[in-house]
Amino acid sequence: MLPKILVFAGSNRTGAYSKKVANAAVKTLAELGADVTLIALFDYPLPLMDEDLEEKKGIPDNAMKLGRLFAAHDGILIASPEYNSSIPPLLKNTIDWVSRISKDGDKPLKPYSGKVVGLCSSSEGNFGGARGLYHLRSVLMNVGTQIITEQCSVIHAHEAFAEDGSFRNERTAKSMERVCQSLIDHTRFAKSRA
């Protein structure tokens, strides 16, 4: 069985570097033998996480759709920008809403249970958004995922991509390959133990 990997960027901005990183990850994962699904959070708009809202209206439909998608995949790869050395609000809000899900109708649903996650980041600066990944790791650990050690941070993202979407820098391409291979290996191992 091919490992099923869900990929998305933590930004909806037009021309976001994280979207380019997500696209590069999709290509690399597919080349390494994964069954890859790419989504855009733009297609799943959510209100700000609010327990009062949840009590009145329940879990939003788009959060449920995302929860089902998370649960249906063996692993997740997130390409995140960095906002003030931390997690972008869009991504944090998405993670928080999905974490509120415990059932789908009358059936239990735990979207993060047994999930293996790979992380990538990007920025125009010298750190490539890596500082934000520390916070993202912490949040994802708290919701019960297993985060692989390897990560890919794309520095100087405004000049990192060739016309075809590939990385200009071989070192960055190798870093992405390591992340993707590790994610595939860890999801296979997790599946064998399930």
Side-chain angles (χ1 to χ4, degrees):
M1 279 298 273
L2 296 178
K4 293 182 68 176
I5 310 292
L6 183 69
V7 179
F8 60 89
S11 174
N12 282 337
R13 181 178 67 83
T14 302
Y17 303 127
S18 56
K19 290 180 183 178
K20 294 181 179 183
V21 174
N23 288 334
V26 166
K27 183 178 178 186
T28 305
L29 284 162
E31 287 171 352
L32 292 171
D35 177 4
V36 190
T37 304
L38 175 67
I39 63 168
L41 295 183
F42 181 84
D43 295 325
Y44 304 89
L46 291 167
L48 285 175
M49 174 59 212
D50 179 341
E51 287 188 37
D52 289 338
L53 178 65
E54 180 186 357
E55 189 173 326
K56 288 177 188 172
K57 298 188 175 183
I59 304 286
D61 287 344
N62 281 331
M64 290 302 303
K65 289 176 185 175
L66 286 167
R68 292 179 196 115
L69 271 171
F70 286 17
H73 287 78
D74 305 309
I76 300 171
L77 188 141
I78 302 172
S80 180
E82 175 188 301
Y83 283 26
N84 296 315
S85 298
S86 191
I87 308 167
L90 170 69
L91 181 53
K92 180 67 165 65
N93 194 54
T94 300
I95 293 168
D96 288 346
W97 268 121
V98 173
S99 76
R100 304 295 295 178
I101 299 169
S102 60
K103 59 184 179 177
D104 188 0
D106 59 353
K107 296 179 182 176
L109 178 65
K110 297 181 180 180
Y112 294 117
S113 179
K115 217 56 60 198
V116 181
V117 181
L119 300 177
C120 299
S121 63
S122 55
S123 79
E124 293 186 0
N126 292 326
F127 295 108
R131 293 173 298 186
L133 294 186
Y134 289 111
H135 292 176
L136 184 53
R137 279 180 183 274
S138 177
V139 171
L140 289 167
M141 285 172 59
N142 192 65
V143 298
T145 68
Q146 174 192 341
I147 303 99
I148 63 171
T149 303
E150 297 81 2
Q151 64 186 42
C152 178
S153 294
V154 181
I155 65 171
H156 308 141
H158 56 295
E159 55 191 24
F161 299 92
E163 294 266 333
D164 65 355
S166 64
F167 294 116
R168 295 183 192 276
N169 184 304
E170 183 64 21
R171 187 174 176 184
T172 306
K174 289 289 185 190
S175 177
M176 177 62 80
E177 189 175 329
R178 281 192 298 274
V179 170
C180 292
Q181 187 63 64
S182 179
L183 182 57
I184 289 170
D185 292 344
H186 279 82
T187 56
R188 282 184 171 142
F189 180 70
K191 280 180 76 172
S192 73
R193 297 183 64 189

